[in-house]
Amino acid sequence: LFAFITAWNEFFFALVLIKSPELQTLPLALARFVGLEGVARVGPLAAGALLATLPSLAFFGFIQKGLAGGMLAGATKG
């Protein structure tokens, strides 16, 4: 789960290597909502951040049962 979230949110690596606008990742597209003066367009930025979070939430919901079962498997004695 942590590896998925880290790969999904990779910002600096994509910022350095991707120069073509049509190949930009979602975090790079979200960074464009902040202007040169540091003023953010809050509405579109919040909507984009919500859409960027949905795949992580869906992935966690899918593996939640196995993740909790794996953590509790080593917690019992006997």
PDB file of all heavy atoms in Angstrom, residues 17-50:
ATOM      1  N   LEU A  17      12.084  14.688 -15.232  1.00  0.00           N
ATOM      2  CA  LEU A  17      12.240  13.886 -16.442  1.00  0.00           C
ATOM      3  C   LEU A  17      11.219  14.152 -17.538  1.00  0.00           C
ATOM      4  O   LEU A  17      11.534  13.991 -18.712  1.00  0.00           O
ATOM      5  CB  LEU A  17      12.207  12.401 -16.080  1.00  0.00           C
ATOM      6  CG  LEU A  17      13.377  11.909 -15.232  1.00  0.00           C
ATOM      7  CD1 LEU A  17      13.224  10.437 -14.938  1.00  0.00           C
ATOM      8  CD2 LEU A  17      14.697  12.180 -15.906  1.00  0.00           C
ATOM      9  N   ILE A  18      10.006  14.524 -17.187  1.00  0.00           N
ATOM     10  CA  ILE A  18       8.955  14.676 -18.197  1.00  0.00           C
ATOM     11  C   ILE A  18       8.898  16.120 -18.662  1.00  0.00           C
ATOM     12  O   ILE A  18       8.630  17.029 -17.886  1.00  0.00           O
ATOM     13  CB  ILE A  18       7.588  14.238 -17.648  1.00  0.00           C
ATOM     14  CG1 ILE A  18       7.638  12.762 -17.283  1.00  0.00           C
ATOM     15  CG2 ILE A  18       6.493  14.506 -18.665  1.00  0.00           C
ATOM     16  CD1 ILE A  18       6.380  12.251 -16.630  1.00  0.00           C
ATOM     17  N   LYS A  19       9.157  16.329 -19.914  1.00  0.00           N
ATOM     18  CA  LYS A  19       9.128  17.674 -20.489  1.00  0.00           C
ATOM     19  C   LYS A  19       7.910  17.909 -21.379  1.00  0.00           C
ATOM     20  O   LYS A  19       7.529  19.034 -21.629  1.00  0.00           O
ATOM     21  CB  LYS A  19      10.404  17.925 -21.301  1.00  0.00           C
ATOM     22  CG  LYS A  19      11.668  17.852 -20.474  1.00  0.00           C
ATOM     23  CD  LYS A  19      11.654  18.883 -19.379  1.00  0.00           C
ATOM     24  CE  LYS A  19      12.923  18.776 -18.554  1.00  0.00           C
ATOM     25  NZ  LYS A  19      12.857  19.492 -17.308  1.00  0.00           N
ATOM     26  N   SER A  20       7.292  16.869 -21.865  1.00  0.00           N
ATOM     27  CA  SER A  20       6.156  16.997 -22.768  1.00  0.00           C
ATOM     28  C   SER A  20       4.867  17.210 -21.961  1.00  0.00           C
ATOM     29  O   SER A  20       4.576  16.443 -21.043  1.00  0.00           O
ATOM     30  CB  SER A  20       6.036  15.732 -23.609  1.00  0.00           C
ATOM     31  OG  SER A  20       4.909  15.802 -24.424  1.00  0.00           O
ATOM     32  N   PRO A  21       4.077  18.236 -22.272  1.00  0.00           N
ATOM     33  CA  PRO A  21       2.854  18.494 -21.501  1.00  0.00           C
ATOM     34  C   PRO A  21       1.814  17.371 -21.579  1.00  0.00           C
ATOM     35  O   PRO A  21       1.077  17.150 -20.626  1.00  0.00           O
ATOM     36  CB  PRO A  21       2.291  19.773 -22.126  1.00  0.00           C
ATOM     37  CG  PRO A  21       3.398  20.378 -22.891  1.00  0.00           C
ATOM     38  CD  PRO A  21       4.323  19.268 -23.266  1.00  0.00           C
ATOM     39  N   GLU A  22       1.762  16.639 -22.680  1.00  0.00           N
ATOM     40  CA  GLU A  22       0.762  15.578 -22.784  1.00  0.00           C
ATOM     41  C   GLU A  22       1.142  14.325 -22.000  1.00  0.00           C
ATOM     42  O   GLU A  22       0.317  13.437 -21.812  1.00  0.00           O
ATOM     43  CB  GLU A  22       0.478  15.213 -24.242  1.00  0.00           C
ATOM     44  CG  GLU A  22       1.667  14.751 -25.036  1.00  0.00           C
ATOM     45  CD  GLU A  22       2.380  15.880 -25.771  1.00  0.00           C
ATOM     46  OE1 GLU A  22       1.942  17.023 -25.691  1.00  0.00           O
ATOM     47  OE2 GLU A  22       3.393  15.575 -26.409  1.00  0.00           O
ATOM     48  N   LEU A  23       2.377  14.222 -21.529  1.00  0.00           N
ATOM     49  CA  LEU A  23       2.817  13.076 -20.737  1.00  0.00           C
ATOM     50  C   LEU A  23       2.873  13.364 -19.247  1.00  0.00           C
ATOM     51  O   LEU A  23       3.294  12.509 -18.473  1.00  0.00           O
ATOM     52  CB  LEU A  23       4.201  12.612 -21.205  1.00  0.00           C
ATOM     53  CG  LEU A  23       4.293  12.097 -22.635  1.00  0.00           C
ATOM     54  CD1 LEU A  23       5.731  11.761 -22.991  1.00  0.00           C
ATOM     55  CD2 LEU A  23       3.403  10.886 -22.825  1.00  0.00           C
ATOM     56  N   GLN A  24       2.439  14.551 -18.831  1.00  0.00           N
ATOM     57  CA  GLN A  24       2.533  14.927 -17.425  1.00  0.00           C
ATOM     58  C   GLN A  24       1.652  14.039 -16.549  1.00  0.00           C
ATOM     59  O   GLN A  24       0.580  13.613 -16.943  1.00  0.00           O
ATOM     60  CB  GLN A  24       2.115  16.378 -17.231  1.00  0.00           C
ATOM     61  CG  GLN A  24       3.160  17.354 -17.678  1.00  0.00           C
ATOM     62  CD  GLN A  24       2.763  18.780 -17.351  1.00  0.00           C
ATOM     63  OE1 GLN A  24       1.612  19.062 -17.085  1.00  0.00           O
ATOM     64  NE2 GLN A  24       3.723  19.659 -17.383  1.00  0.00           N
ATOM     65  N   THR A  25       2.127  13.812 -15.339  1.00  0.00           N
ATOM     66  CA  THR A  25       1.371  13.031 -14.370  1.00  0.00           C
ATOM     67  C   THR A  25       0.368  13.930 -13.648  1.00  0.00           C
ATOM     68  O   THR A  25       0.406  15.156 -13.770  1.00  0.00           O
ATOM     69  CB  THR A  25       2.316  12.380 -13.349  1.00  0.00           C
ATOM     70  OG1 THR A  25       3.022  13.405 -12.665  1.00  0.00           O
ATOM     71  CG2 THR A  25       3.299  11.436 -14.023  1.00  0.00           C
ATOM     72  N   LEU A  26      -0.501  13.311 -12.875  1.00  0.00           N
ATOM     73  CA  LEU A  26      -1.532  14.069 -12.175  1.00  0.00           C
ATOM     74  C   LEU A  26      -0.967  15.051 -11.142  1.00  0.00           C
ATOM     75  O   LEU A  26      -1.432  16.189 -11.070  1.00  0.00           O
ATOM     76  CB  LEU A  26      -2.516  13.093 -11.521  1.00  0.00           C
ATOM     77  CG  LEU A  26      -3.808  13.670 -11.007  1.00  0.00           C
ATOM     78  CD1 LEU A  26      -4.545  14.420 -12.112  1.00  0.00           C
ATOM     79  CD2 LEU A  26      -4.680  12.580 -10.467  1.00  0.00           C
ATOM     80  N   PRO A  27       0.036  14.695 -10.333  1.00  0.00           N
ATOM     81  CA  PRO A  27       0.592  15.695  -9.418  1.00  0.00           C
ATOM     82  C   PRO A  27       1.199  16.898 -10.145  1.00  0.00           C
ATOM     83  O   PRO A  27       1.107  18.027  -9.651  1.00  0.00           O
ATOM     84  CB  PRO A  27       1.667  14.928  -8.648  1.00  0.00           C
ATOM     85  CG  PRO A  27       1.201  13.521  -8.680  1.00  0.00           C
ATOM     86  CD  PRO A  27       0.555  13.354 -10.024  1.00  0.00           C
ATOM     87  N   LEU A  28       1.791  16.700 -11.302  1.00  0.00           N
ATOM     88  CA  LEU A  28       2.323  17.831 -12.065  1.00  0.00           C
ATOM     89  C   LEU A  28       1.197  18.715 -12.586  1.00  0.00           C
ATOM     90  O   LEU A  28       1.312  19.950 -12.608  1.00  0.00           O
ATOM     91  CB  LEU A  28       3.167  17.343 -13.235  1.00  0.00           C
ATOM     92  CG  LEU A  28       4.519  16.746 -12.893  1.00  0.00           C
ATOM     93  CD1 LEU A  28       5.224  16.285 -14.159  1.00  0.00           C
ATOM     94  CD2 LEU A  28       5.376  17.717 -12.139  1.00  0.00           C
ATOM     95  N   ALA A  29       0.105  18.108 -13.000  1.00  0.00           N
ATOM     96  CA  ALA A  29      -1.034  18.895 -13.461  1.00  0.00           C
ATOM     97  C   ALA A  29      -1.648  19.684 -12.316  1.00  0.00           C
ATOM     98  O   ALA A  29      -2.078  20.827 -12.497  1.00  0.00           O
ATOM     99  CB  ALA A  29      -2.071  17.972 -14.087  1.00  0.00           C
ATOM    100  N   LEU A  30      -1.675  19.107 -11.117  1.00  0.00           N
ATOM    101  CA  LEU A  30      -2.201  19.830  -9.961  1.00  0.00           C
ATOM    102  C   LEU A  30      -1.308  21.003  -9.579  1.00  0.00           C
ATOM    103  O   LEU A  30      -1.788  22.021  -9.089  1.00  0.00           O
ATOM    104  CB  LEU A  30      -2.355  18.888  -8.767  1.00  0.00           C
ATOM    105  CG  LEU A  30      -3.472  17.863  -8.857  1.00  0.00           C
ATOM    106  CD1 LEU A  30      -3.421  16.918  -7.672  1.00  0.00           C
ATOM    107  CD2 LEU A  30      -4.816  18.537  -8.937  1.00  0.00           C
ATOM    108  N   ALA A  31      -0.018  20.882  -9.789  1.00  0.00           N
ATOM    109  CA  ALA A  31       0.900  21.973  -9.461  1.00  0.00           C
ATOM    110  C   ALA A  31       0.684  23.180 -10.361  1.00  0.00           C
ATOM    111  O   ALA A  31       1.028  24.297  -9.988  1.00  0.00           O
ATOM    112  CB  ALA A  31       2.346  21.489  -9.569  1.00  0.00           C
ATOM    113  N   ARG A  32       0.095  22.971 -11.525  1.00  0.00           N
ATOM    114  CA  ARG A  32      -0.170  24.104 -12.422  1.00  0.00           C
ATOM    115  C   ARG A  32      -1.300  24.995 -11.932  1.00  0.00           C
ATOM    116  O   ARG A  32      -1.476  26.090 -12.437  1.00  0.00           O
ATOM    117  CB  ARG A  32      -0.486  23.596 -13.826  1.00  0.00           C
ATOM    118  CG  ARG A  32       0.728  23.045 -14.528  1.00  0.00           C
ATOM    119  CD  ARG A  32       0.447  22.779 -15.964  1.00  0.00           C
ATOM    120  NE  ARG A  32      -0.646  21.798 -16.068  1.00  0.00           N
ATOM    121  CZ  ARG A  32      -1.210  21.449 -17.190  1.00  0.00           C
ATOM    122  NH1 ARG A  32      -0.832  21.991 -18.313  1.00  0.00           N
ATOM    123  NH2 ARG A  32      -2.179  20.551 -17.208  1.00  0.00           N
ATOM    124  N   PHE A  33      -2.086  24.538 -10.944  1.00  0.00           N
ATOM    125  CA  PHE A  33      -3.155  25.360 -10.396  1.00  0.00           C
ATOM    126  C   PHE A  33      -2.634  26.458  -9.469  1.00  0.00           C
ATOM    127  O   PHE A  33      -3.386  27.308  -9.045  1.00  0.00           O
ATOM    128  CB  PHE A  33      -4.182  24.507  -9.650  1.00  0.00           C
ATOM    129  CG  PHE A  33      -5.058  23.708 -10.574  1.00  0.00           C
ATOM    130  CD1 PHE A  33      -4.981  22.343 -10.605  1.00  0.00           C
ATOM    131  CD2 PHE A  33      -5.956  24.338 -11.407  1.00  0.00           C
ATOM    132  CE1 PHE A  33      -5.788  21.598 -11.448  1.00  0.00           C
ATOM    133  CE2 PHE A  33      -6.767  23.607 -12.271  1.00  0.00           C
ATOM    134  CZ  PHE A  33      -6.678  22.235 -12.278  1.00  0.00           C
ATOM    135  N   VAL A  34      -1.361  26.393  -9.126  1.00  0.00           N
ATOM    136  CA  VAL A  34      -0.747  27.431  -8.308  1.00  0.00           C
ATOM    137  C   VAL A  34      -0.028  28.384  -9.247  1.00  0.00           C
ATOM    138  O   VAL A  34       0.824  27.976 -10.028  1.00  0.00           O
ATOM    139  CB  VAL A  34       0.235  26.818  -7.286  1.00  0.00           C
ATOM    140  CG1 VAL A  34       0.888  27.904  -6.460  1.00  0.00           C
ATOM    141  CG2 VAL A  34      -0.484  25.829  -6.396  1.00  0.00           C
ATOM    142  N   GLY A  35      -0.360  29.654  -9.157  1.00  0.00           N
ATOM    143  CA  GLY A  35       0.210  30.648 -10.052  1.00  0.00           C
ATOM    144  C   GLY A  35       1.635  31.026  -9.681  1.00  0.00           C
ATOM    145  O   GLY A  35       2.204  30.545  -8.700  1.00  0.00           O
ATOM    146  N   LEU A  36       2.218  31.918 -10.454  1.00  0.00           N
ATOM    147  CA  LEU A  36       3.585  32.359 -10.221  1.00  0.00           C
ATOM    148  C   LEU A  36       3.730  33.117  -8.909  1.00  0.00           C
ATOM    149  O   LEU A  36       4.779  33.097  -8.282  1.00  0.00           O
ATOM    150  CB  LEU A  36       4.051  33.245 -11.383  1.00  0.00           C
ATOM    151  CG  LEU A  36       4.170  32.552 -12.741  1.00  0.00           C
ATOM    152  CD1 LEU A  36       4.532  33.552 -13.819  1.00  0.00           C
ATOM    153  CD2 LEU A  36       5.211  31.457 -12.661  1.00  0.00           C
ATOM    154  N   GLU A  37       2.683  33.788  -8.486  1.00  0.00           N
ATOM    155  CA  GLU A  37       2.726  34.553  -7.247  1.00  0.00           C
ATOM    156  C   GLU A  37       2.453  33.697  -6.028  1.00  0.00           C
ATOM    157  O   GLU A  37       2.451  34.182  -4.906  1.00  0.00           O
ATOM    158  CB  GLU A  37       1.707  35.700  -7.286  1.00  0.00           C
ATOM    159  CG  GLU A  37       1.897  36.668  -8.423  1.00  0.00           C
ATOM    160  CD  GLU A  37       1.219  36.181  -9.702  1.00  0.00           C
ATOM    161  OE1 GLU A  37       0.279  35.359  -9.618  1.00  0.00           O
ATOM    162  OE2 GLU A  37       1.645  36.601 -10.780  1.00  0.00           O
ATOM    163  N   GLY A  38       2.159  32.424  -6.212  1.00  0.00           N
ATOM    164  CA  GLY A  38       1.846  31.520  -5.122  1.00  0.00           C
ATOM    165  C   GLY A  38       0.373  31.498  -4.776  1.00  0.00           C
ATOM    166  O   GLY A  38      -0.023  30.890  -3.793  1.00  0.00           O
ATOM    167  N   VAL A  39      -0.450  32.181  -5.563  1.00  0.00           N
ATOM    168  CA  VAL A  39      -1.886  32.202  -5.316  1.00  0.00           C
ATOM    169  C   VAL A  39      -2.512  30.990  -6.005  1.00  0.00           C
ATOM    170  O   VAL A  39      -2.343  30.802  -7.207  1.00  0.00           O
ATOM    171  CB  VAL A  39      -2.516  33.513  -5.851  1.00  0.00           C
ATOM    172  CG1 VAL A  39      -4.013  33.510  -5.652  1.00  0.00           C
ATOM    173  CG2 VAL A  39      -1.869  34.709  -5.189  1.00  0.00           C
ATOM    174  N   ALA A  40      -3.225  30.195  -5.231  1.00  0.00           N
ATOM    175  CA  ALA A  40      -3.805  28.966  -5.766  1.00  0.00           C
ATOM    176  C   ALA A  40      -5.261  29.188  -6.125  1.00  0.00           C
ATOM    177  O   ALA A  40      -5.981  29.908  -5.434  1.00  0.00           O
ATOM    178  CB  ALA A  40      -3.690  27.849  -4.738  1.00  0.00           C
ATOM    179  N   ARG A  41      -5.683  28.549  -7.216  1.00  0.00           N
ATOM    180  CA  ARG A  41      -7.101  28.491  -7.549  1.00  0.00           C
ATOM    181  C   ARG A  41      -7.668  27.320  -6.756  1.00  0.00           C
ATOM    182  O   ARG A  41      -7.525  26.167  -7.138  1.00  0.00           O
ATOM    183  CB  ARG A  41      -7.286  28.313  -9.037  1.00  0.00           C
ATOM    184  CG  ARG A  41      -6.806  29.529  -9.824  1.00  0.00           C
ATOM    185  CD  ARG A  41      -7.045  29.358 -11.277  1.00  0.00           C
ATOM    186  NE  ARG A  41      -6.095  28.342 -11.774  1.00  0.00           N
ATOM    187  CZ  ARG A  41      -6.118  27.846 -12.996  1.00  0.00           C
ATOM    188  NH1 ARG A  41      -7.026  28.233 -13.844  1.00  0.00           N
ATOM    189  NH2 ARG A  41      -5.231  26.958 -13.371  1.00  0.00           N
ATOM    190  N   VAL A  42      -8.303  27.630  -5.641  1.00  0.00           N
ATOM    191  CA  VAL A  42      -8.654  26.626  -4.643  1.00  0.00           C
ATOM    192  C   VAL A  42      -9.700  25.636  -5.143  1.00  0.00           C
ATOM    193  O   VAL A  42      -9.585  24.436  -4.891  1.00  0.00           O
ATOM    194  CB  VAL A  42      -9.122  27.315  -3.341  1.00  0.00           C
ATOM    195  CG1 VAL A  42      -9.516  26.291  -2.299  1.00  0.00           C
ATOM    196  CG2 VAL A  42      -8.033  28.210  -2.803  1.00  0.00           C
ATOM    197  N   GLY A  43     -10.717  26.096  -5.831  1.00  0.00           N
ATOM    198  CA  GLY A  43     -11.778  25.198  -6.276  1.00  0.00           C
ATOM    199  C   GLY A  43     -11.284  24.093  -7.200  1.00  0.00           C
ATOM    200  O   GLY A  43     -11.462  22.904  -6.906  1.00  0.00           O
ATOM    201  N   PRO A  44     -10.655  24.444  -8.332  1.00  0.00           N
ATOM    202  CA  PRO A  44     -10.144  23.385  -9.220  1.00  0.00           C
ATOM    203  C   PRO A  44      -9.050  22.533  -8.577  1.00  0.00           C
ATOM    204  O   PRO A  44      -8.963  21.336  -8.831  1.00  0.00           O
ATOM    205  CB  PRO A  44      -9.586  24.153 -10.415  1.00  0.00           C
ATOM    206  CG  PRO A  44     -10.268  25.465 -10.388  1.00  0.00           C
ATOM    207  CD  PRO A  44     -10.550  25.756  -8.952  1.00  0.00           C
ATOM    208  N   LEU A  45      -8.236  23.152  -7.712  1.00  0.00           N
ATOM    209  CA  LEU A  45      -7.178  22.397  -7.043  1.00  0.00           C
ATOM    210  C   LEU A  45      -7.768  21.367  -6.084  1.00  0.00           C
ATOM    211  O   LEU A  45      -7.319  20.215  -6.046  1.00  0.00           O
ATOM    212  CB  LEU A  45      -6.250  23.342  -6.290  1.00  0.00           C
ATOM    213  CG  LEU A  45      -5.072  22.712  -5.563  1.00  0.00           C
ATOM    214  CD1 LEU A  45      -4.173  21.978  -6.539  1.00  0.00           C
ATOM    215  CD2 LEU A  45      -4.294  23.765  -4.811  1.00  0.00           C
ATOM    216  N   ALA A  46      -8.806  21.725  -5.349  1.00  0.00           N
ATOM    217  CA  ALA A  46      -9.447  20.788  -4.432  1.00  0.00           C
ATOM    218  C   ALA A  46     -10.134  19.655  -5.199  1.00  0.00           C
ATOM    219  O   ALA A  46     -10.070  18.491  -4.791  1.00  0.00           O
ATOM    220  CB  ALA A  46     -10.452  21.521  -3.552  1.00  0.00           C
ATOM    221  N   ALA A  47     -10.783  19.988  -6.299  1.00  0.00           N
ATOM    222  CA  ALA A  47     -11.438  18.951  -7.104  1.00  0.00           C
ATOM    223  C   ALA A  47     -10.406  17.992  -7.699  1.00  0.00           C
ATOM    224  O   ALA A  47     -10.605  16.774  -7.699  1.00  0.00           O
ATOM    225  CB  ALA A  47     -12.264  19.599  -8.205  1.00  0.00           C
ATOM    226  N   GLY A  48      -9.317  18.523  -8.202  1.00  0.00           N
ATOM    227  CA  GLY A  48      -8.268  17.674  -8.756  1.00  0.00           C
ATOM    228  C   GLY A  48      -7.605  16.813  -7.699  1.00  0.00           C
ATOM    229  O   GLY A  48      -7.279  15.647  -7.940  1.00  0.00           O
ATOM    230  N   ALA A  49      -7.398  17.372  -6.507  1.00  0.00           N
ATOM    231  CA  ALA A  49      -6.794  16.597  -5.423  1.00  0.00           C
ATOM    232  C   ALA A  49      -7.711  15.462  -4.987  1.00  0.00           C
ATOM    233  O   ALA A  49      -7.245  14.362  -4.675  1.00  0.00           O
ATOM    234  CB  ALA A  49      -6.475  17.507  -4.248  1.00  0.00           C
ATOM    235  N   LEU A  50      -9.012  15.711  -4.975  1.00  0.00           N
ATOM    236  CA  LEU A  50      -9.957  14.648  -4.646  1.00  0.00           C
ATOM    237  C   LEU A  50      -9.914  13.535  -5.688  1.00  0.00           C
ATOM    238  O   LEU A  50      -9.871  12.343  -5.352  1.00  0.00           O
ATOM    239  CB  LEU A  50     -11.375  15.202  -4.542  1.00  0.00           C
ATOM    240  CG  LEU A  50     -12.467  14.176  -4.270  1.00  0.00           C
ATOM    241  CD1 LEU A  50     -12.310  13.605  -2.870  1.00  0.00           C
ATOM    242  CD2 LEU A  50     -13.822  14.785  -4.452  1.00  0.00           C
TER     243      LEU A  50
END
